[in-house]
Amino acid sequence: MDETSLTPLDPAYARMLRVQFSIVALVLLAGATIAEIAIPGYTGYVWVPAGLFAAWLLVRMPMRRYAARGYSIEEERLRVVRGILFRSDTVVPFGRVQHIDVNQGPLERAFHLATLTVHTAGTHNASVSLPGLARGDAMAMREDIRSAIRRDTQ
């Protein structure tokens, strides 16, 4: 199974990641500002590196994380690939699926996204999450997997 056969996540996921990293960057810069005020005589020693790191978080990380994820559904299997430094390629046969959840947090709702979580039989990697799906796509995938499970059990 190669990387080219993967379906990318919804582009709104990259925008949502940028908002998440913006929140982290604001907290980081607030802490750096407090440190700058608390340490007299060292203006810029904390704020400059924190600002550069925050800029890197906002510019580079959302697109790297977005590009590092993908999925495919074929031959009654869900394949989820994720990870920047440590790559994970998980394949879940529909026959092992116990139940399926579609979740939305506040940011996901704002961007009309959802996370599909597939729970399987067993203890190791008993659930696989796929964030960054359009809500309609997540609901359709849940129904496709349910239909395949029903066909197998009848």
Side-chain angles (χ1 to χ4, degrees), residues 73-93:
I73 293 184
E74 50 193 37
E75 301 171 13
E76 295 201 356
R77 297 173 195 212
L78 171 65
R79 178 179 177 219
V80 178
V81 177
R82 63 190 171 276
I84 295 172
L85 291 177
F86 300 98
R87 298 287 287 170
S88 171
D89 190 340
T90 306
V91 178
V92 179

Side-chain angles (χ1 to χ4, degrees), residues 78 80 82 87-93 96-99 117-129:
L78 171 65
V80 178
R82 63 190 171 276
R87 298 287 287 170
S88 171
D89 190 340
T90 306
V91 178
V92 179
R96 303 271 304 159
V97 173
Q98 297 291 314
H99 65 279
T117 305
V118 178
H119 300 274
T120 63
T123 56
H124 182 67
N125 291 332
S127 64
V128 177
S129 292

Side-chain angles (χ1 to χ4, degrees), residues 24-101:
V24 171
L26 285 174
V27 170
L28 175 70
L29 292 176
T33 302
I34 291 169
E36 285 286 329
I37 293 168
I39 306 170
Y42 291 101
T43 305
Y45 280 83
V46 177
W47 213 91
V48 170
L52 290 173
F53 184 68
W56 178 77
L57 274 178
L58 293 174
V59 173
R60 187 73 176 124
M61 281 307 292
M63 292 313 295
R64 284 192 69 188
R65 185 168 285 180
Y66 173 77
R69 289 182 173 264
Y71 70 95
S72 68
I73 293 184
E74 50 193 37
E75 301 171 13
E76 295 201 356
R77 297 173 195 212
L78 171 65
R79 178 179 177 219
V80 178
V81 177
R82 63 190 171 276
I84 295 172
L85 291 177
F86 300 98
R87 298 287 287 170
S88 171
D89 190 340
T90 306
V91 178
V92 179
F94 291 169
R96 303 271 304 159
V97 173
Q98 297 291 314
H99 65 279
I100 311 154
D101 297 327

